[in-house]
Amino acid sequence: MRLSSLSLMLFALTLLPGANGADLTYINDDILPPKVDWQGASLALMREANDPWATPFEQSAGLDSPDYQTTMEWLDKLVAQSPMVQKVSLGKSPQGRDLWMIVASAEGADTPKSLADNGKPTVLVQAGIHSGEIDGKDAGMMLLRDIAMGTKAGLLDGANLLFVPIFSVDAHERSSEFNRVNQRGPKHMGWRTNARNLNLNRDYAKADTLEMQLMLSAINEWQPQLYIDVHVTDGIDYQYDVTFGYNLPQGLSPAIYGWLDSHYRPAVETALSDAGHIPGQLIFALDETDLSKGMSWWRATPRFSNGYGDARHLPTILIENHSLKPFRQRVLGTYVMLEQTLKTVATEATSLKAAIMKDSFHYAQLITLTWEDEIQPQGWDFKGIDYKTETSSISGTKVVRWLGEPKLYPQLPVLGSTKAGIKVSRPAAYFIPPQWQEAIARLHLHGIRMTELKQDTELKLQQYRFDNPVFDTKDFEGRHRVKADSKLEKVSVTLPAGTVKIPTDQPLGDLAIMLLEPQSPDSLLQWGFFNPIFSRTEYMEDYAVEPMAAKMLQDNPGLKAEFDQALLDPAFATDPHARLRWFYERSPYYDNQYLRYPVYRGR
């Protein structure tokens, strides 16, 4: 059990250092690297534990985070006191908990239409997609309090705020002091995966989880102009306490990248620095035991929040607070970032909307599906922490010992996924026959526009033929993934009534391409939505192939020449099954849908 509101307050009163103390500790402090003392200006944002509007986080002096019930009870009290703050349920979790969203606007809007009617840009902030990484929940509660009951109501003059305090609500309640051993607080942390052991931040493209389906529906209904996903890191030690990133410039939303990099990042980094934090871009070391090898400039695919945002042209910020910084410091840094976000979105609303429109209606004729790593021309001055390596007597291998002392690593090399790999031409539309209901339903869920053929229709289209399918050796995120070599061929086909047509000249056309092109890493094909096409269900017995093959060779001299050429391959010539299959595949009995992708491309 987590602490109730009363217990949190009583616990806070027993803390010797008080809300601004520097000696707060966690159960795992002794096994974590040394803690760097921090006394940033943002500490002034916290209220005293006995303040009637102190959040449960503040009541615990910044040590803990409340459970689901306590969180919602506190927010209900705020909603009851302020007409600017409303609460709506996005739906029920698999275990029956409401997935709540707080709607904050100067006008007190409580529906998508009433929010849109005020004409202001909307920011959607979600916390707890990994529920142990819960900083955003407590930061958002403080910020909402200061808007509704404090001096910051003006933040809603130019922007609206949608706030999901707990995304993975069931995992949030699988709470323990012993979750996330690598993280410095809160005292009680939720679980990484949901009740079905699925990772919500691998689920944006395939949308298998009920929680993600509710979130995507909310995005489609409430139409935010900026989406923020709050996490806490794993990995190495460094000086930065708040790191954040978004899509790369070489991608599907270059105008949005430009806005985020030129308007958003400078404003947010200035605000964080002024408040005593050290902001930075997302940090992923190429080798965690040797920082001299450099950093990775990571490109997210559409299974992740920021990769999904790139594909659907929704500006998306991935916050990764540093796990080794104390919980209180991380929460306050998140507060500063969210506050500045509302300010920046309000003042730069016109340029933000222009960037979204430019990317949404660009319709590039060549789409890059995969990206390759290359060394970037500009290195990175990295604000790290000094370390040493030694051979562990426990594991017998080299381990890093972080020393707790700041150290600058100048001009580290950066490896970025900025070199285009597989590209495809943009089709005018895709066609999916009606029997593939699961795939069609997913596209509907994403908000992709489509129409149905009202009658059987003959069309000249393109279709992929697959060879050499390779299935992963084990399930990943509840799916049996598959890859295959593909070749695009022209076909004439009669599509049945009920076939859906998905035009790509729509704002979510690029997302449709990333979900339907088979070589896209997060395509529905690779996630296993079309796995039945890789099963052979009709066969021909050898005793029937033999006489059929003899007749085929007798009647078709060209086929005999082709067969003689194939026999020059020793592997083929010595494989009786391959030789018989060669004839079966060229006969009218062969299954003409085997290894054919049931998604057609229209030019």
Side-chain angles (χ1 to χ4, degrees):
M1 291 289 292
R2 295 194 189 191
L3 297 172
S4 67
S5 295
L6 177 59
S7 298
L8 282 166
M9 183 174 292
L10 293 174
F11 174 70
L13 296 175
T14 68
L15 292 172
L16 294 177
N20 293 325
D23 299 320
L24 305 180
T25 57
Y26 296 94
I27 195 169
N28 55 340
D29 264 344
D30 287 344
I31 60 175
L32 293 179
K35 179 171 57 178
V36 178
D37 183 50
W38 177 80
Q39 294 293 320
S42 61
L43 283 167
L45 295 168
M46 291 185 65
R47 295 199 180 187
E48 295 296 330
N50 59 0
D51 185 294
W53 280 104
T55 66
F57 160 78
E58 292 165 316
Q59 294 168 28
S60 74
L63 275 175
D64 211 354
S65 186
D67 63 15
Y68 175 87
Q69 180 177 344
T70 305
T71 298
M72 298 319 304
E73 286 175 351
W74 190 92
L75 286 168
D76 283 342
K77 184 176 72 168
L78 188 68
V79 169
Q81 289 295 315
S82 173
M84 294 187 294
V85 182
Q86 307 293 330
K87 187 180 79 166
V88 299
S89 175
L90 303 183
K92 299 280 188 181
S93 74
Q95 291 184 340
R97 296 179 177 90
D98 278 290
L99 206 169
W100 293 108
M101 183 172 74
I102 304 300
V103 183
S105 68
E107 297 77 15
D110 60 357
T111 66
K113 183 182 185 304
S114 60
L115 192 74
D117 284 347
N118 70 34
K120 302 171 189 175
T122 296
V123 176
L124 170 57
V125 178
Q126 72 183 27
I129 189 171
H130 297 150
S131 66
E133 307 168 25
I134 202 61
D135 305 7
K137 177 187 72 177
D138 297 283
M141 291 168 72
M142 287 177 62
L143 181 60
L144 281 170
R145 182 266 321 280
D146 292 343
I147 290 172
M149 307 300 296
T151 61
K152 298 184 178 179
L155 292 173
L156 299 182
D157 289 345
N160 308 308
L161 174 61
L162 304 175
F163 175 57
V164 177
I166 310 168
F167 186 5
S168 190
V169 289
D170 297 338
H172 187 273
E173 296 309 282
R174 185 181 172 182
S175 175
S176 170
E177 292 183 86
F178 300 101
N179 292 347
R180 291 188 64 81
V181 65
N182 58 293
Q183 183 174 302
R184 196 166 258 125
K187 281 185 171 290
H188 300 84
M189 289 179 268
W191 199 249
R192 181 176 181 83
T193 50
N194 77 350
R196 294 176 55 207
N197 203 34
L198 296 175
N199 188 335
L200 300 188
N201 201 35
R202 307 293 185 272
D203 197 39
Y204 279 87
K206 61 185 177 67
D208 281 337
T209 62
L210 179 55
E211 299 95 327
M212 183 57 68
Q213 293 170 10
L214 296 175
M215 181 60 69
L216 296 181
S217 295
I219 290 172
N220 289 327
E221 292 171 7
W222 292 85
Q223 290 291 307
Q225 280 69 52
L226 188 70
Y227 184 31
I228 294 182
D229 180 20
V230 187
H231 291 248
V232 180
T233 67
D234 304 311
I236 64 175
D237 201 0
Y238 43 77
Q239 298 173 49
Y240 310 98
D241 56 352
V242 180
T243 68
F244 63 98
Y246 29 82
N247 63 302
L248 302 192
Q250 305 87 353
L252 296 169
S253 298
I256 289 171
Y257 170 85
W259 186 90
L260 291 169
D261 219 45
S262 62
H263 294 280
Y264 184 81
R265 181 175 287 278
V268 168
E269 289 192 340
T270 297
L272 284 165
S273 298
D274 290 346
H277 297 273
I278 303 178
Q281 56 189 324
L282 293 178
I283 295 166
F284 303 97
L286 295 176
D287 183 343
E288 294 185 1
T289 66
D290 184 0
L291 295 188
S292 68
K293 292 183 180 178
M295 296 290 157
S296 169
W297 199 22
W298 176 58
R299 175 184 298 278
T301 64
R303 73 185 62 173
F304 302 99
S305 61
N306 48 327
Y308 182 73
D310 184 42
R312 72 172 291 149
H313 313 305
L314 170 60
T316 301
I317 310 294
L318 172 63
I319 298 177
E320 288 279 6
N321 294 325
H322 189 210
S323 61
L324 295 177
K325 302 298 186 289
F327 181 54
R328 179 181 59 186
Q329 180 178 351
R330 303 195 318 261
V331 169
L332 294 177
T334 306
Y335 178 112
V336 172
M337 186 165 179
L338 299 184
E339 179 181 10
Q340 183 58 48
T341 295
L342 292 175
K343 294 177 180 177
T344 300
V345 167
T347 57
E348 299 292 342
T350 300
S351 59
L352 173 59
K353 291 180 180 179
I356 295 171
M357 292 290 287
K358 184 174 182 180
D359 287 332
S360 297
F361 295 96
H362 176 52
Y363 308 148
Q365 293 308 299
L366 276 179
I367 300 291
T368 301
L369 302 179
T370 64
W371 295 87
E372 300 172 4
D373 288 336
E374 59 183 353
I375 293 293
Q376 301 300 300
Q378 180 63 48
W380 185 9
D381 287 337
F382 177 63
K383 296 178 181 178
I385 296 291
D386 199 8
Y387 68 95
K388 64 179 180 180
T389 58
E390 57 187 47
T391 300
S392 167
S393 61
I394 304 297
S395 65
T397 190
K398 184 171 69 172
V399 295
V400 170
R401 306 296 186 199
W402 301 102
L403 304 178
E405 296 296 327
K407 179 179 178 179
L408 179 67
Y409 297 82
Q411 287 300 293
L412 288 180
V414 177
L415 189 69
S417 301
T418 55
K419 182 179 178 181
I422 299 172
K423 293 184 177 182
V424 295
S425 62
R426 184 185 204 91
Y430 293 98
F431 295 84
I432 307 178
Q435 63 267 30
W436 298 100
Q437 285 297 306
E438 186 184 27
I440 294 169
R442 286 296 191 274
L443 298 170
H444 270 300
L445 180 69
H446 286 289
I448 294 169
R449 177 169 52 84
M450 61 187 74
T451 58
E452 286 190 6
L453 301 184
K454 299 303 181 183
Q455 59 187 15
D456 293 358
T457 306
E458 184 176 355
L459 296 169
K460 294 185 182 299
L461 302 170
Q462 295 176 316
Q463 184 182 32
Y464 285 103
R465 177 171 58 82
F466 296 132
D467 288 304
N468 307 314
V470 177
F471 287 85
D472 285 356
T473 56
K474 60 180 181 179
D475 285 357
F476 177 66
E477 291 297 321
R479 287 274 175 179
H480 208 54
R481 287 178 56 85
V482 62
K483 294 181 181 179
D485 298 333
S486 61
K487 181 181 179 181
L488 198 58
E489 299 177 340
K490 294 180 179 179
V491 295
S492 293
V493 61
T494 298
L495 295 176
T499 293
V500 297
K501 178 182 179 181
I502 302 162
T504 66
D505 58 345
Q506 59 172 299
L508 297 184
D510 288 346
L511 177 60
I513 291 171
M514 299 305 289
L515 294 174
L516 293 176
E517 284 296 325
Q519 294 179 90
S520 169
D522 279 324
S523 66
L524 298 183
L525 177 115
Q526 291 201 23
W527 276 115
F529 283 73
F530 296 98
N531 279 359
I533 68 171
F534 297 106
S535 298
R536 293 182 62 184
T537 57
E538 291 286 358
Y539 299 88
M540 193 169 183
E541 300 294 345
D542 292 355
Y543 63 77
V545 179
E546 289 279 357
M548 181 189 72
K551 189 172 189 308
M552 291 170 68
L553 292 174
Q554 178 181 342
D555 294 346
N556 191 338
L559 184 67
K560 184 178 185 308
E562 187 181 347
F563 182 60
D564 290 342
Q565 182 66 35
L567 290 173
L568 298 177
D569 179 357
F572 176 79
T574 57
D575 185 343
H577 294 293
R579 291 171 64 156
L580 291 175
R581 188 169 61 249
W582 190 92
F583 286 98
Y584 172 50
E585 290 174 353
R586 287 156 178 79
S587 77
Y589 299 99
Y590 185 68
D591 178 7
N592 64 6
Q593 295 302 311
Y594 178 55
L595 296 181
R596 299 278 180 163
Y597 188 35
V599 177
Y600 299 88
R601 290 167 45 106
R603 297 299 299 159

